[in-house]
Amino acid sequence: MGKAHWVKALRFKALRFKALWFKRRLLMASVSTGLVSGLVFALPAGAAQDEETNVQNLPPVEVTAPPPSTARRSAPTRAVAHVGAPSSASPKTRIYVYPTAPGTGRGLDVDKVPSAINAVDPGQIKRTGSLNITDALRDNIAGVNISEATGNPFQPDVEFRGFVASPVTGTPQGLAVYQNGVRINEAFSDAVNWDLIPTAAIRSVTLVTNNPAFGLNALGGAINLQMKHGFTYQGAELDLMGGSFGRIQGSAQWGKTVDKNYGVYAALEGLHDNGFRNFSQSDMRRFYADVGYKAGDSEFHANMGVAKNDFGASATVPAELLDKYWGATYTTPQTTSNRVGYLNLTGKVDATPTWTLEGTAHVRRYEQKLVDGNPTDTQECTDPGLAGLLCFGDGATPANGTNGLPLANPFASGTILGEIDRSSIRSTTFGVSGQATNTDQLFGHDNRFVMGATYDASVTRYNAAAEIGTIGENYVVSGGGLFLGPTGVPDTVAGPVSLRTVNQYNGLYAMDTFNITDAFAVTAGGRFNVARITLEDQLGTDLNGDHTFTRFNPVIGGTYKITPELTAYAGYSEANRVPTPLELGCSDPARPCLIAAFLVSDPPLKQVVSKTVEAGLRGSRELSIGTLGWKVGGFRATNYDDIVAIPVPGRTGFGYFSNVGRTRRQGLEAEINIKSPTLQFQASYAFVDARFLDALSIGSNSPFADGDGNIQVSPGNQLPAIPRHRVKIGVDYAVTDVWKVGGNALFVSSQYLVGDESNQYAKLPSYTVFNLHTSYQVTKAIQLYGKIDNIFDRRYATYGQFFDTGAVPNFTNGGAGFTDPRSLSPARPRAFYAGMRVTF
């Protein structure tokens, strides 16, 4: 950290509430970081509580101030950080820091961070009433947008600045996600399964931008989750809620510090939801626990988690079906089953007053099973020489069974055929990392140097198979007991897959923040990534491959504290992501595959490189109504050799991955918020302009496609599924000491449909949603609360794409063909929820 000008607390003011049971003291502290007041409440002993945060939603770090010195530049000393440490005789104060590397240790003084500050605290998470951390990200970070490409609210896509972290296998991923310093993008496709994250156990969330230290996939940034433990959370809490669409959910958490040296924490969550769509039941079960040990300036933790979740209705729906019934589904079954278990070990040692050493080791086991009913390219053979057989694709290529022989056609002539695609992913990941931080002065100036190394290895087994069946008038696919084997001569175009992949990711990073003056700091560094991906076909040799990617990504930036309440920042960085095993196994346009099912080829893909510049201003100020925080910033990120998934027209679900040249994402983010004991207000605006920079021709089901099924993308065309404007407003007000009311509004502008990269079709309409919530403190231990989502019952879609209108008839229109090429993800209608929270 820079030379500390530790400022003692400005004032102590006792607050007395009318309720006899409730007393608390408010400590207003202002430190030289310029983020001024953090609010720290002392609740009744033993009562469960989340840490109060400052105006930028960051939890405090308690530090021991260095002894005073008569010389301006004395021998190197530093403040020693203690997160949630018990008080002692040593003088202490609280500061606010921001992560600059994946480790779990203390970050960098926020005034020295040369990028935007984006954070969410436990109070904001709790106000959503959701077990989905993505809801809190959407409501509280200006640039975040949520869409439901899966059609299930518990498996959303998170889009930030035009980059996506999605649970959908096959979505090109542009955000890295870390939990307690461990990257949790899944090994096979870099997908992010938000449903596996234990939301109740989250201590803080930061969205770090312009920083290559977070490794692969951090093109648009890294979402950094820090979890609770016994030193940061004490007490117990039980939370139960129920409401519309059969929702029943509950969570319990408990934390305790034992003899000041040991901390124990555990959280349990469960949810059942019938969903508003047909076949859309969801069930989630999650458990998280942490055991910590602290001695002096050393701290060690062992934490583990397990989850078992099942979801239905994970797909978009033709717009014409939604016009008839908002809860419609298309070609079911559509089910997803996710399982995970993990163990993380972390340690931090202050080896000397200026050297801190950190280390992590982790193991993770992840399993996913998908069952997906679809239209099929298997049909009655039209070639007279193949009468009585089933063919694939063109009516003249026999469809083979698993025994390699042509499949006889057991279905009556004119039967509408479909298929049930089943796939499974089983991944085991092991990793270790180490980091060292030094705060010795350099040339008589304060300096912070961080260096670290990471190693992760994953082994994945991927299997897929397709069962041919029939599609009924309710769009349910019934299996016929016929399983598709290797089909196509000389090249296989369909069939079962059994693939083993090995990922080895190595990273070495270093970053230095040098205080040229007390107000002006410069940060520079970089990370060197090495990735090796090996594919081993378990049924043949078509998928075999061995790929190695290397890249050094630099970063440079600076901050200048213009006044005690105003800081300017600017920075430039580069980041990369390597093709995933899924993308490498499906990248030949001449031999497309069923995305997330059939993999049939293995030509090379280039890694994606993103170059980003961002700059802005941020500040805070004490007002009579509370602490005011604000920020405004701009960014521009250019991707080189960007990878997109390209569909094959007329072949439902089939496509391939390809490098498409350069794309650019640029925009503006602005936010203002107020925090006080009685009022919390937040308003933000984000503008994102995402475009192709190179011309290309790609396949599409667009009605504007040419005779070959291609559309022509021109430089300057906007990227689909990225709304340009996002406006968010939220307010919470304490009407009395025990009654609070609040609400929020969200506006998302129109966006192009996926498949309309040429920007010729009408956009998916914009939408505005209003939500309300309230809580009442019945006693010191019991709180009742309720909320209404989508209070005006708006019907809108968060995601849309084109589909093959001729694959299956429109049974709701007498079996005629579909005329609207859009397939949409409908948002949840108005919903009412009520719950009770009990603390001990």
Side-chain angles (χ1 to χ4, degrees):
M1 298 295 298
K3 180 180 178 181
H5 295 270
W6 309 106
V7 181
K8 296 186 177 180
L10 296 178
R11 63 182 180 271
F12 289 91
K13 184 177 181 181
L15 298 178
R16 247 174 234 285
F17 293 94
K18 297 177 182 179
L20 297 177
W21 55 268
F22 198 34
K23 287 184 179 181
R24 64 187 182 188
R25 290 170 295 130
L26 174 63
L27 171 63
M28 302 291 289
S30 179
V31 298
S32 65
T33 62
L35 293 180
V36 296
S37 310
L39 304 178
V40 183
F41 296 99
L43 294 179
Q49 57 180 298
D50 289 313
E51 298 169 288
E52 290 295 329
T53 57
N54 73 341
V55 72
Q56 290 185 323
N57 307 316
L58 296 169
V61 174
E62 191 174 73
V63 298
T64 302
S69 172
T70 57
R72 185 177 186 275
R73 299 291 179 190
S74 59
T77 59
R78 66 162 186 157
V80 179
H82 305 275
V83 179
S87 60
S88 68
S90 302
K92 288 180 169 56
T93 189
R94 290 171 181 257
I95 65 172
Y96 299 92
V97 298
Y98 200 68
T100 57
T104 58
R106 174 181 164 185
L108 178 66
D109 180 335
V110 290
D111 279 340
K112 310 299 181 184
V113 177
S115 62
I117 302 295
N118 300 292
V120 177
D121 66 25
Q124 293 172 314
I125 296 172
K126 188 173 294 183
R127 280 195 294 274
T128 67
S130 171
L131 294 185
N132 245 3
I133 184 56
T134 55
D135 290 342
L137 294 174
R138 175 201 58 206
D139 291 348
N140 297 287
I141 296 182
V144 169
N145 178 52
I146 299 297
S147 62
E148 297 175 6
T150 66
N152 188 293
F154 305 107
Q155 293 184 297
D157 285 6
V158 172
E159 178 258 310
F160 175 71
R161 295 183 175 181
F163 297 92
V164 177
S166 169
V168 180
T169 301
T171 299
Q173 310 283 342
L175 297 172
V177 181
Y178 284 80
Q179 180 179 320
N180 272 356
V182 176
R183 183 174 177 268
I184 59 173
N185 295 72
E186 304 298 350
F188 185 64
S189 64
D190 283 335
V192 179
N193 289 290
W194 301 103
D195 62 284
L196 300 179
I197 297 173
T199 302
I202 295 174
R203 180 186 181 223
S204 69
V205 185
T206 50
L207 205 169
V208 183
T209 63
N210 215 32
N211 190 333
F214 284 85
L216 298 175
N217 286 95
L219 305 181
I223 297 174
N224 188 43
L225 306 164
Q226 293 297 322
M227 313 304 286
K228 298 174 184 175
H229 50 72
F231 300 123
T232 60
Y233 183 93
Q234 292 87 40
E237 178 184 275
L238 179 65
D239 193 334
L240 299 173
M241 189 185 84
S244 299
F245 311 113
R247 169 77 64 87
I248 301 174
Q249 71 179 50
S251 66
Q253 56 179 324
W254 171 79
K256 184 177 179 62
T257 300
V258 182
D259 297 331
K260 296 184 179 181
N261 295 112
Y262 296 92
V264 183
Y265 175 83
L268 179 67
E269 298 173 310
L271 175 146
H272 171 83
D273 190 294
N274 291 331
F276 72 95
R277 296 173 60 186
N278 297 334
F279 314 111
S280 62
Q281 177 175 306
S282 299
D283 292 284
M284 297 197 303
R285 292 138 295 207
R286 301 189 293 232
F287 176 75
Y288 177 85
D290 180 281
V291 177
Y293 172 76
K294 182 188 296 185
D297 295 326
S298 300
E299 189 169 335
F300 304 90
H301 289 269
N303 53 74
M304 58 80 65
V306 293
K308 180 181 180 183
N309 303 333
D310 300 286
F311 306 101
S314 51
T316 59
V317 185
E320 290 176 70
L321 297 184
L322 292 177
D323 288 340
K324 301 286 186 179
Y325 173 49
W326 195 246
T329 53
Y330 182 63
T331 60
T332 57
Q334 299 162 356
T335 63
T336 302
S337 297
N338 290 335
R339 308 287 187 266
V340 75
Y342 53 87
L343 173 66
N344 304 328
L345 305 176
T346 66
K348 178 184 76 71
V349 176
D350 288 338
T352 73
T354 59
W355 277 102
T356 298
L357 305 179
E358 300 175 49
T360 67
H362 66 93
V363 61
R364 177 183 177 92
R365 175 68 174 184
Y366 164 70
E367 296 184 0
Q368 181 182 73
K369 294 182 179 180
L370 299 177
V371 179
D372 188 9
N374 286 303
T376 183
D377 282 309
T378 303
Q379 56 187 284
E380 297 178 66
C381 292
T382 57
D383 188 326
L386 300 174
L389 299 179
L390 291 174
C391 283
F392 189 87
D394 56 7
T397 300
N400 295 331
T402 54
N403 59 2
L405 300 177
L407 285 172
N409 181 9
F411 306 108
S413 180
T415 300
I416 300 174
L417 301 185
E419 68 183 47
I420 300 176
D421 297 303
R422 296 178 175 88
S423 63
S424 65
I425 300 172
R426 293 173 294 155
S427 295
T428 301
T429 301
F430 167 80
V432 294
S433 66
Q435 180 175 297
T437 303
N438 176 261
T439 55
D440 282 314
Q441 290 184 351
L442 184 63
F443 305 119
H445 292 255
D446 289 338
N447 189 74
R448 182 177 183 270
F449 174 71
V450 178
M451 61 180 178
T454 65
Y455 173 78
D456 289 278
S458 302
V459 177
T460 300
R461 292 189 177 274
Y462 174 80
N463 293 279
E467 180 184 6
I468 307 301
T470 61
I471 299 180
E473 293 189 2
N474 58 355
Y475 295 102
V476 173
V477 182
S478 301
L482 301 178
F483 288 87
L484 193 63
T487 296
V489 177
D491 295 329
T492 301
V493 296
V497 174
S498 182
L499 178 68
R500 180 181 185 269
T501 69
V502 179
N503 302 21
Q504 298 180 72
Y505 297 152
N506 300 270
L508 181 66
Y509 61 89
M511 190 171 299
D512 188 86
T513 299
F514 179 72
N515 288 7
I516 297 176
T517 69
D518 289 339
F520 182 32
V522 174
T523 296
R527 174 167 173 142
F528 183 69
N529 292 320
V530 180
R532 182 181 180 185
I533 301 172
T534 304
L535 288 77
E536 302 172 359
D537 194 333
Q538 305 298 290
L539 299 178
T541 60
D542 285 351
L543 295 175
N544 288 348
D546 195 339
H547 309 265
T548 300
F549 303 89
T550 61
R551 186 72 163 71
F552 175 75
N553 296 314
V555 59
I556 187 168
T559 61
Y560 184 71
K561 197 169 188 62
I562 301 171
T563 72
E565 298 176 338
L566 176 62
T567 299
Y569 67 88
Y572 169 83
S573 70
E574 299 179 8
N576 73 303
R577 87 168 183 90
V578 300
T580 65
L582 171 63
E583 292 166 341
L584 289 169
C586 183
S587 54
D588 188 347
R591 301 172 64 197
C593 58
L594 186 63
I595 302 296
F598 296 145
L599 305 183
V600 295
S601 59
D602 182 26
L605 287 173
K606 299 177 182 178
Q607 63 182 330
V608 182
V609 175
S610 184
K611 300 180 179 181
T612 301
V613 60
E614 69 172 282
L617 299 167
R618 57 176 174 258
S620 62
R621 188 173 186 177
E622 286 295 331
L623 303 177
S624 59
I625 59 174
T627 303
L628 169 70
W630 63 272
K631 61 184 178 181
V632 60
F635 66 92
R636 171 179 281 195
T638 302
N639 281 13
Y640 297 82
D641 297 315
D642 213 351
I643 295 175
V644 300
I646 299 175
V648 174
R651 299 187 67 182
T652 301
F654 275 76
Y656 60 96
F657 297 94
S658 177
N659 295 110
V660 295
R662 298 172 302 150
T663 60
R664 184 182 65 208
R665 297 154 176 86
Q666 61 185 357
L668 173 73
E669 297 161 350
E671 180 180 316
I672 185 171
N673 57 72
I674 296 173
K675 267 194 174 185
S676 77
T678 58
L679 174 67
Q680 296 196 40
F681 172 81
Q682 181 179 16
S684 67
Y685 168 74
F687 169 74
V688 180
D689 179 64
R691 298 180 183 271
F692 292 96
L693 297 184
D694 293 319
L696 65 148
S697 177
I698 60 176
S700 174
N701 285 307
S702 167
F704 294 96
D706 60 24
D708 295 324
N710 295 321
I711 57 175
Q712 306 305 315
V713 180
S714 301
N717 283 151
Q718 295 179 33
L719 273 66
I722 302 176
R724 289 164 62 82
H725 305 281
R726 306 107 189 263
V727 179
K728 305 173 184 181
I729 299 175
V731 62
D732 282 87
Y733 179 69
V735 180
T736 69
D737 298 341
V738 295
W739 180 33
K740 294 182 180 180
V741 296
N744 69 294
L746 171 68
F747 168 78
V748 177
S749 68
S750 58
Q751 56 190 285
Y752 285 104
L753 279 73
V754 173
D756 190 22
E757 287 78 4
S758 57
N759 299 171
Q760 294 173 279
Y761 199 83
K763 289 184 176 182
L764 187 69
S766 63
Y767 59 88
T768 304
V769 182
F770 295 87
N771 310 300
L772 292 175
H773 56 263
T774 186
S775 66
Y776 186 82
Q777 200 75 36
V778 180
T779 71
K780 67 177 182 180
I782 300 176
Q783 180 187 89
L784 301 179
Y785 64 90
K787 67 171 187 168
I788 307 174
D789 292 343
N790 191 5
I791 59 176
F792 297 115
D793 201 22
R794 284 288 308 274
R795 295 292 194 268
Y796 64 96
T798 61
Y799 176 89
Q801 63 184 10
F802 292 130
F803 78 110
D804 183 359
T805 57
V808 179
N810 183 352
F811 295 117
T812 66
N813 191 28
F818 286 97
T819 58
D820 190 332
R822 298 174 304 155
S823 186
L824 310 176
S825 286
R828 183 165 284 220
R830 180 170 51 220
F832 300 86
Y833 303 101
M836 179 177 66
R837 189 174 291 122
V838 181
T839 57
F840 306 92

